[in-house]
Amino acid sequence: MSDKSRVVVIFGAAIALAGGGLYYFFKVHQPKEDRANAQREIEAWEQRLGAVHICLFGATPASAKPGEALAVRELAPDVWDRGSCTKLVGKISRGVAEDTGILKVEHAWMTVDRAASRVANAFASHVPPEDDSVDRRGASSPLPAALDELEAARADLRTAAGMEPFVGTSTTALPAAQVLPITDGPDRVAALTAWLIPSAGGTLAFGSVKGKGEVQITLVPGAAPKVSKLPPGSLRAVPQLAWGAAGLREEVAIGPIDNAGAFGAMTSLPVQMGARVLVDVGTVTNGFVAYAASNHLVIARSTGAAFVPDPPLEVGRLAFAIDPAGRGLVAWSSPTQGGPLRGLIATDGAVPKVVELGTGFAEQACMTAAKGWLASSEQLVAFDASGATPHLLPGHELIGCSAEAALLHRYGTTHYGVCTDTCRSADLTAMRSTNIATIAGGKVHAIRTRGAVLGVWTEGEAPRFFATAKPVTPTLVQGNATGIDVLGETDDGAVLVRVPR
């Protein structure tokens, strides 16, 4: 090889080496360095985001989903400090930073900044959990959705920078509750209009179907809700539901009611100034109806023929309860202060035993399997055909009965009273006050909701939390050996939320 050729080869080799070095630097080393720098910036930002999460969710979030974790934290009485969290939320945007040189990462940062801005704005307008004022109650907060959006943006950012998915303290979401829309055939019950506190066999609620009138909802723990169309102003009888009574302007109408919600042949009992049906039980040929007309209580019974009213009773305040299994309770106070308090329990057209209950005002009522229970002023009266037993429970409201016990709640606290032959106290912890509670399996179970999360607090057990997909406003709760049923409303209608016990 000539010297000239040798020079060409050497020069060519040098060029090749230089080209390879440039290729390695620009195509391998520099991108790797850029990616490492981008990852370090993301990790630093995630430390700031982590501080926000600890402030909002606590050191151990209840769910991997930020919206759920926030709701669970806000259901506890020791909620986060708003002032401290505000300062931290203000630091979760990217801030001033050099361009990473990675187009995908820069685009992902733009998405993160938009999501961070939404979190800051949502936090500023977030309704605090302790605000139970009427105008704020049930208000929907944009913060959970904004936090979920930021978490999705964080996931995209990590992917763009070649990082593994983030693994937080909690790796799973909350278990889903069974949410049953309440419908009348194909029609959704749009809203609840009234309800009774539960008795041993369940309870009744009332709602409306848009453009199609009122319905009666029979709720038995563990069973599917049963929805029945109603004639105007009426109440279907239990346990059959095939007949009922309606309080109208000039009469009380009693008779069969078909599936379309229309009366068949009716008995008409005249009234003046209208009437309200309180209770109807039994059958149309062996039944009991109690209704309020002006300041009078009227009882009408049928025993193989048409309903006939007894002489009206002048009364003060009235309380009543209905057990879907086929019992009705009516209690009334005297029209004069300090007068007698009386009550009865009926199952059919037989003459019911009127029981003396002492003195006071008739307030709430429900029935266990064996007795009727009436809240009156500062006491709770248990009674059956053999007589009445008072229990002194000042500051409590009667919120329902199960088969075995009556349940009361002390206003503004997490203290409950459980009454059978005697009364005991039950105090639940790590929750805010609620009168949405029931007794099942001998234990008190209380319900609160926040966002799309439902919490269950049970005596002697850790609280449990369930996802409901949509926010639910609870109305009442019942339980049995296997589960807890919560009647409530979402933004698109009435629902029954069922969770295991």
Side-chain angles (χ1 to χ4, degrees):
M1 178 183 294
S2 66
D3 291 341
K4 183 177 181 181
S5 297
R6 188 177 292 110
V7 169
V8 170
V9 171
I10 295 172
F11 183 70
I15 292 174
L17 289 172
L22 291 173
Y23 177 87
Y24 175 81
F25 181 81
F26 288 108
K27 296 297 185 179
V28 179
H29 173 78
Q30 190 62 46
K32 185 177 181 180
E33 186 66 23
D34 290 344
R35 187 166 59 250
N37 290 336
Q39 291 175 356
R40 282 192 289 270
E41 182 186 3
I42 292 168
E43 289 168 351
W45 170 77
E46 285 184 329
Q47 289 183 357
R48 303 199 302 274
L49 180 61
V52 172
H53 285 181
I54 291 172
C55 191
L56 293 179
F57 313 148
T60 307
S63 170
K65 293 184 176 181
E68 293 179 357
L70 175 68
V72 171
R73 178 70 183 278
E74 291 190 321
L75 285 168
D78 57 336
V79 73
W80 39 263
D81 177 69
R82 192 177 187 93
S84 298
C85 293
T86 298
K87 296 176 182 178
L88 296 171
V89 168
K91 299 177 181 178
I92 58 171
S93 62
R94 182 186 187 186
V96 178
E98 292 185 5
D99 192 309
T100 61
I102 305 173
L103 188 60
K104 288 183 178 180
V105 171
E106 292 303 313
H107 284 171
W109 270 120
M110 293 171 63
T111 303
V112 164
D113 276 345
R114 285 194 296 268
S117 177
R118 291 190 181 95
V119 168
N121 291 333
F123 185 80
S125 63
H126 184 59
V127 179
E130 66 272 14
D131 188 348
D132 281 334
S133 58
V134 174
D135 60 332
R136 304 297 292 277
R137 193 176 302 142
S140 178
S141 170
L143 183 55
L147 288 166
D148 287 340
E149 180 184 346
L150 180 59
E151 192 62 24
R154 186 242 286 262
D156 290 343
L157 178 62
R158 291 181 69 91
T159 299
M163 301 172 72
E164 294 294 324
F166 179 79
V167 178
T169 306
S170 176
T171 59
T172 59
L174 297 178
Q178 184 182 11
V179 180
L180 305 172
I182 299 178
T183 62
D184 178 23
D187 299 318
R188 184 71 180 269
V189 176
L192 299 172
T193 55
W195 49 88
L196 304 180
I197 66 174
S199 285
T203 191
L204 301 180
F206 304 87
S208 61
V209 175
K210 188 174 182 179
K212 295 188 177 181
E214 298 295 310
V215 294
Q216 180 172 311
I217 307 165
T218 304
L219 297 162
V220 175
K226 188 169 185 178
V227 180
S228 308
K229 292 182 174 65
L230 286 176
S234 68
L235 173 69
R236 285 184 181 260
V238 296
Q240 289 187 344
L241 302 176
W243 69 280
L248 305 174
R249 185 184 296 266
E250 297 180 349
E251 66 175 337
V252 171
I254 307 173
I257 303 175
D258 64 21
N259 291 337
F263 272 111
M266 294 185 296
T267 297
S268 178
L269 306 179
V271 297
Q272 295 179 348
M273 301 177 64
R276 179 192 178 193
V277 176
L278 307 176
V279 169
D280 45 13
V281 296
T283 68
V284 73
T285 57
N286 184 22
F288 171 97
V289 175
Y291 57 92
S294 186
N295 60 336
H296 291 85
L297 169 67
V298 181
I299 292 170
R301 296 177 295 109
S302 69
T303 52
F307 279 84
V308 176
D310 293 342
L313 303 170
E314 187 176 7
V315 297
R317 295 179 63 172
L318 287 159
F320 60 96
I322 299 172
D323 185 332
R327 295 181 298 156
L329 178 157
V330 183
W332 61 94
S333 54
S334 169
T336 58
Q337 187 172 1
L341 185 65
R342 298 183 171 97
L344 61 84
I345 298 173
T347 58
D348 54 29
V351 177
K353 174 71 178 293
V354 176
V355 182
E356 298 291 333
L357 306 180
T359 60
F361 295 103
E363 295 175 357
Q364 304 91 15
C366 61
M367 290 172 280
T368 56
K371 294 185 177 182
W373 297 79
L374 176 70
S376 172
S377 303
E378 298 292 277
Q379 66 179 353
L380 179 71
V381 182
F383 72 96
D384 57 19
S386 65
T389 303
H391 302 273
L392 290 177
L393 289 159
H396 287 70
E397 63 172 332
L398 178 62
I399 58 176
C401 290
S402 65
E404 67 268 27
L407 181 64
L408 301 95
H409 174 240
R410 183 187 290 166
Y411 302 102
T413 73
T414 57
H415 174 86
Y416 299 86
V418 179
C419 294
T420 52
D421 291 336
T422 59
C423 295
R424 68 174 179 86
S425 295
D427 290 284
L428 301 184
T429 59
M431 67 173 292
R432 296 175 182 274
S433 177
T434 177
N435 64 358
I436 308 297
T438 189
I439 177 123
K443 292 185 176 183
V444 177
H445 310 267
I447 302 295
R448 282 193 72 99
T449 61
R450 181 72 176 169
V453 170
L454 180 145
V456 182
W457 285 260
T458 299
E459 277 187 275
E461 299 178 15
R464 297 176 296 142
F465 301 95
F466 300 88
T468 58
K470 287 188 173 184
V472 176
T473 301
T475 296
L476 61 86
V477 58
Q478 304 180 104
N480 62 11
T482 60
I484 303 293
D485 288 353
V486 181
L487 176 68
E489 293 176 291
T490 66
D491 59 5
D492 53 4
V495 296
L496 189 71
V497 182
R498 180 164 289 159
V499 297
R501 190 170 72 79

